[in-house]
Amino acid sequence: LDEKIKDKTKKLNKFFHEDASIDWVCWVQKNEHFAEVKINDGKKHINAHASSDNLYKTVDQIIEKVENQVGK
């Protein structure tokens, strides 16, 4: 899971300043997998969260949400 998050974070780096702070939090509650990412590069502040039955799927959902927010 750590490797997947690192790979996905690299994908996000192209949208933000090189000194951006990208912080992930992941947890499981009653068979539901949650994840949240907070991104701050000094100009942009983005928060995204998602949940599903699979943590890998949840991380993919967050990446899609961030890409959509940055694309606006």
Side-chain angles (χ1 to χ4, degrees):
L1 181 60
D2 283 341
E3 284 302 314
K4 179 172 178 95
I5 289 174
K6 285 178 187 177
D7 288 341
K8 295 295 182 172
T9 300
K10 287 178 188 175
K11 185 176 179 181
L12 293 177
N13 283 335
K14 66 183 175 185
F15 297 113
F16 300 98
H17 188 268
E18 64 187 39
D19 293 331
S21 165
I22 302 177
D23 299 309
W24 287 88
V25 177
C26 302
W27 70 96
V28 178
Q29 186 175 16
K30 294 184 180 179
N31 296 325
E32 188 79 8
H33 297 255
F34 296 86
E36 179 178 18
V37 67
K38 294 181 182 183
I39 304 169
N40 181 352
D41 76 351
K43 294 181 181 180
K44 299 175 193 165
H45 303 280
I46 294 183
N47 294 324
H49 61 276
S51 65
S52 73
D53 61 344
N54 178 296
L55 200 48
Y56 293 101
K57 188 186 322 180
T58 303
V59 170
D60 288 338
Q61 290 171 352
I62 287 180
I63 296 300
E64 185 176 324
K65 286 181 179 186
V66 170
E67 288 174 337
N68 287 338
Q69 287 183 40
V70 173
K72 289 182 179 179

